[in-house]
Amino acid sequence: MQRKSKWSPGPGVRILGVALTDDDRWVVSAAGSTIGICPDCGRRSRSRHGCSNRSLQDLPVQGKSVTVKLLLSRWRCANRKCERRTFTDRLPSVAVPYARRTTRVVEIVGLLGHSAGGRPGERLMQRLGMPVSDDT
């Protein structure tokens, strides 16, 4: 039996725990990187300013929906000459800012929605374990 899983929603994400809820949904607890890199000056920072939580819908497992509870850090820029004082971890390969779904789910939703249409796409996505509305 393998104890340590190498599964991850994307690069730069550490899995903290996985749980199956009472309503048959998987919840994955994850965290971002331990070091921040300023997007303006590129300098590394270990000075944490705070934390924020994001919930992302991810690909289903065994037909059950998966929610990734992602803990992201807010960092202080260590460069005194940089105009940006604080910045948040960005994970563009996992999800774009303010998104509620991972990029791999967004691709599937876009393909299925374009080919099947609104309500048929909604029913099919529900059966696949990725619930979306017909407007999505």
Side-chain angles (χ1 to χ4, degrees), residues 5 10 17 31 42 51 60 67 87-88 94 97-98 100 109 111 114 120-121 123 132-134 136:
S5 174
C51 296
T67 302
F87 58 93
T88 305
V94 176
Y98 306 106
R100 297 188 182 261
V109 168
L111 288 171
H114 183 68
R123 287 192 297 271
V132 295
S133 70
D134 59 340
T136 303

Side-chain angles (χ1 to χ4, degrees), residues 9 14 19 47-48 68 75 85 111 121:
R14 291 176 293 128
S47 177
R48 185 172 283 127
V68 178
W75 305 95
R85 297 286 180 226
L111 288 171

Side-chain angles (χ1 to χ4, degrees), residues 28-105:
V28 178
S29 300
S33 63
T34 56
I35 296 174
I37 299 174
C38 180
D40 287 349
C41 66
R43 190 162 180 185
R44 300 175 112 193
S45 175
R46 287 187 185 269
S47 177
R48 185 172 283 127
H49 181 62
C51 296
S52 63
N53 290 309
R54 285 184 74 181
S55 293
L56 300 169
Q57 179 186 5
D58 200 14
L59 294 176
V61 174
Q62 299 173 348
K64 298 177 180 166
S65 63
V66 174
T67 302
V68 178
K69 301 281 185 175
L70 189 58
L71 178 68
L72 296 175
S73 297
R74 186 151 189 84
W75 305 95
R76 286 187 182 95
C77 185
N79 186 359
R80 299 262 186 227
K81 295 180 182 178
C82 183
E83 290 184 20
R84 187 179 295 247
R85 297 286 180 226
T86 62
F87 58 93
T88 305
D89 288 331
R90 298 285 174 157
L91 302 169
S93 59
V94 176
V96 296
Y98 306 106
R100 297 188 182 261
R101 294 179 181 89
T102 60
T103 52
R104 50 193 186 183
V105 172

